[in-house]
Amino acid sequence: MEYYVIIGCGAAGMAAAERLRRLKPDASIVMVSKDEHSHSRCMLHKYLGGERDVEGLAFTDEDFFEKNHIYWSRGQAVKRVDTAAKKVILEDGELVYDKLLIASGAVYSVPPIPNFRTADNVYGFRDLSDAVKIRKAVEEKNAKHVFIVGSGLVGLDVAYALLEQGVKVTIAEMADRILPLQTDATSAGAYQELFEKAGASFRLGIGASDSKVNDKNEITHVILANGEEIPCDFVVAAAGVRPCIDFLKDSGLEMERSLKVNEYLRTSDPDVYAAGDVTGLSGIWPNAMDQGRKAAMNMAGMPVAYTDSFCIKNTINFFGLAMLSAGDIEPKDDSCQVYTKESRSEYKKAIVKDGIVTGIQLQGDISGSGFWQHLIKNKIDISGLLKEKNIFHISYADFYGLDSTGEYIYSGQC
Ligand SMILES: Cc1cc2nc3c(=O)[nH]c(=O)nc-3n(C[C@H](O)[C@H](O)[C@H](O)COP(=O)(O)OP(=O)(O)OC[C@H]3O[C@@H](n4cnc5c(N)ncnc54)[C@H](O)[C@@H]3O)c2cc1C
């Protein structure tokens, strides 16, 4: 009997388990997770806003573990991994493995602002347990005003859920616009307007530098770098995450900021693999799942390289305004061409370098998202088409297929 152990039941762990079971019908597969419930982090704001209950955050069938004959040790933190003895040490026991997958994700970071790391009312937003704490804080404190550090997807998810419950939010962002990793000034402006209409207040290009606490060790005011004091019932830190590797420090596995893996998602130990946010290769859901599946194949002896270095892409939807953002947000240098189209209801921006699309933003109308991602991912040269067509009118219909050298052929080339 072969023994497989998977640490983590998030996107990467679950995708790996499912694939491993298909490839190894007779093996023993054990999963262990700190999480009591396997849940989608992308949906957490729906729980926070009261739109979904815990069951509504699941992203696999209810009978996933039974159906796949997988033993799940839930609500258990792995204390350490002993790679020499091939053991995973738990709080109350240990698991032996032939092959181990580490899919422990990431943890949120709290910025080093006075009191932020020690006060009792600073929360992160990564796990269901964080959402439960924030919900409880809203109810118990009858919260009226919350301060959020960071206006990325996580910070805005929290803001959105709190605004829906009538709680006012102030969001501080060091960049000059919100969602700085996904938007430019125009697309960010559209979201900012919607959030402000709903009662949010932004402080852009400025950070928090200090805070005041009361005798219960709770932050009551956050002080910005310009001296402005913002009152709050509690604080949410949404300014970044780091790979969850602290429990691996004595494992002998090679790590820097993240757990190091090679192209086969294998760590420095030949029997230990890793997938998802813990590898630092990407920080998004679909890539974590893809890595999980590929790691499982490698663990099962079917070598497959993880080569998808595809740019970060996000689909966003706040207040009904949908957006796709993939690749570059701004041109990297003067040789890039920037194409834009703007109307009351939509905004499009494409960045092209040497005939290859390197970035796309579609806001309002995200039809054709798959096509644009395909162009970027496959680095398809559209310079010929650009001579005769508006870039935003190009579609799959303009291509016949691949020629004998593997290059795409435009209709105009035939
Ligand atoms: C609020 C929020 C919104 C997001 N929105 C989006 C989005 O819209 N689109 C998108 O693509 N991505 C989004 N992401 C990112 C996405 O959720 C992650 O990229 C994805 O969850 C990574 O999957 P993972 O399996 O690597 O880690 P995770 O899903 O974090 O799973 C980690 C697992 O490891 C377990 N674990 C950790 N340490 C231990 C330990 N010591 N012992 C036992 N178990 C342990 C945890 O309990 C958990 O089960 C969002 C993330 C957050 C937090």
Side-chain angles (χ1 to χ4, degrees):
M1 170 88 89
E2 288 174 298
Y3 291 90
Y4 291 90
V5 173
I6 297 174
I7 301 174
C9 69
M14 295 296 263
E18 198 264 336
R19 181 59 56 94
L20 205 47
R21 175 49 78 220
R22 263 202 273 155
L23 299 172
K24 292 278 176 184
D26 301 321
S28 155
I29 303 177
V30 175
M31 294 184 78
V32 54
S33 70
K34 272 198 297 197
D35 285 338
E36 282 276 357
H37 301 270
S38 176
H39 57 277
S40 162
R41 275 138 183 94
C42 313
M43 292 292 149
L44 269 187
H45 62 289
K46 301 220 179 232
Y47 174 84
L48 185 57
E51 253 182 78
R52 288 195 188 188
D53 57 13
V54 173
E55 284 70 37
L57 301 180
F59 61 98
T60 52
D61 294 341
E62 219 177 304
D63 61 350
F64 176 86
F65 295 97
E66 285 160 39
K67 196 171 64 189
N68 288 295
H69 309 291
I70 292 172
Y71 178 75
W72 177 27
S73 182
R74 60 203 276 185
Q76 275 261 19
V78 171
K79 290 279 149 206
R80 62 190 178 86
V81 172
D82 182 341
T83 48
K86 292 189 158 196
K87 280 182 184 168
V88 169
I89 319 300
L90 308 176
E91 272 161 347
D92 56 5
E94 53 188 41
L95 301 164
V96 287
Y97 65 82
D98 292 314
K99 294 261 189 293
L100 171 67
L101 176 70
I102 299 171
S104 52
V107 286
Y108 64 82
S109 328
V110 178
I113 297 160
N115 305 313
F116 271 44
R117 291 183 176 172
T118 51
D120 290 332
N121 63 340
V122 177
Y123 306 101
F125 194 60
R126 175 79 195 179
D127 299 327
L128 178 59
S129 58
D130 298 319
V132 169
K133 281 185 212 154
I134 297 177
R135 245 168 92 154
K136 200 164 156 221
V138 170
E139 279 158 28
E140 286 180 356
K141 296 179 203 301
N142 191 19
K144 299 272 181 296
H145 199 163
V146 173
F147 185 86
I148 300 174
V149 189
S151 75
L153 278 175
V154 174
L156 291 189
D157 270 358
V158 176
Y160 186 80
L162 292 176
L163 289 167
E164 291 230 302
Q165 295 169 79
V167 181
K168 294 259 181 271
V169 293
T170 299
I171 305 159
E173 169 60 59
M174 292 295 283
D176 60 358
R177 61 182 189 277
I178 68 172
L179 291 168
L181 297 180
Q182 292 85 11
T183 61
D184 66 2
T186 308
S187 49
Y191 281 124
Q192 184 173 340
E193 207 179 310
L194 291 171
F195 272 95
E196 284 171 344
K197 265 192 199 148
S201 178
F202 291 95
R203 301 292 185 277
L204 300 178
I206 193 160
S209 61
D210 205 351
S211 64
K212 287 184 177 168
V213 287
N214 61 16
D215 54 8
K216 292 188 211 143
N217 194 31
E218 292 172 337
I219 292 177
T220 57
H221 293 77
V222 176
I223 304 166
L224 300 185
N226 63 2
E228 185 187 5
E229 281 189 24
I230 297 172
C232 63
D233 295 299
F234 62 86
V235 172
V236 178
V241 293
R242 60 185 172 81
C244 180
I245 53 172
D246 290 352
F247 68 102
L248 298 171
K249 64 178 185 307
D250 300 322
S251 65
L253 296 172
E254 207 179 301
M255 300 188 282
E256 279 173 16
R257 212 185 156 264
S258 57
L259 183 53
K260 293 268 147 228
V261 286
N262 67 10
E263 59 184 322
Y264 297 99
L265 298 163
R266 212 189 69 196
T267 67
S268 52
D269 182 303
D271 295 317
V272 182
Y273 291 73
D277 288 6
V278 71
T279 64
L281 292 175
S282 150
I284 60 170
W285 186 270
N287 290 4
M289 290 191 84
D290 189 28
Q291 288 171 29
R293 289 187 202 104
K294 290 195 168 131
M297 291 169 75
N298 290 317
M299 291 166 81
M302 293 179 59
V304 50
Y306 178 74
T307 50
D308 191 356
S309 57
F310 182 39
C311 56
I312 298 291
K313 58 179 186 293
N314 277 113
T315 41
I316 304 166
N317 194 337
F318 289 115
F319 303 103
L321 181 62
M323 176 165 178
L324 167 85
S325 169
D328 297 343
I329 304 297
E330 297 293 354
K332 283 224 164 75
D333 55 53
D334 291 346
S335 71
C336 298
Q337 287 91 49
V338 179
Y339 300 86
T340 55
K341 181 180 174 200
E342 202 174 340
S343 70
R344 270 173 62 89
S345 60
E346 66 171 326
Y347 174 62
K348 291 183 176 178
K349 174 172 174 179
I351 297 169
V352 178
K353 185 175 169 65
D354 301 329
I356 289 165
V357 182
T358 61
I360 185 77
Q361 291 179 60
L362 303 176
Q363 191 179 47
D365 172 12
I366 60 167
S367 57
S369 294
F371 171 69
W372 288 101
Q373 289 177 60
H374 182 79
L375 288 187
I376 298 176
K377 184 175 178 176
N378 296 295
K379 298 188 171 57
I380 295 167
D381 186 345
I382 57 166
S383 44
L385 277 170
L386 282 174
K387 288 185 196 135
E388 56 198 55
K389 248 186 152 161
N390 178 317
I391 188 167
F392 298 115
H393 294 160
I394 298 175
S395 72
Y396 280 123
D398 291 303
F399 297 90
Y400 276 128
L402 300 172
D403 69 12
S404 55
T405 65
E407 293 294 314
Y408 271 83
I409 314 166
Y410 318 128
S411 12
Q413 283 176 314
C414 294

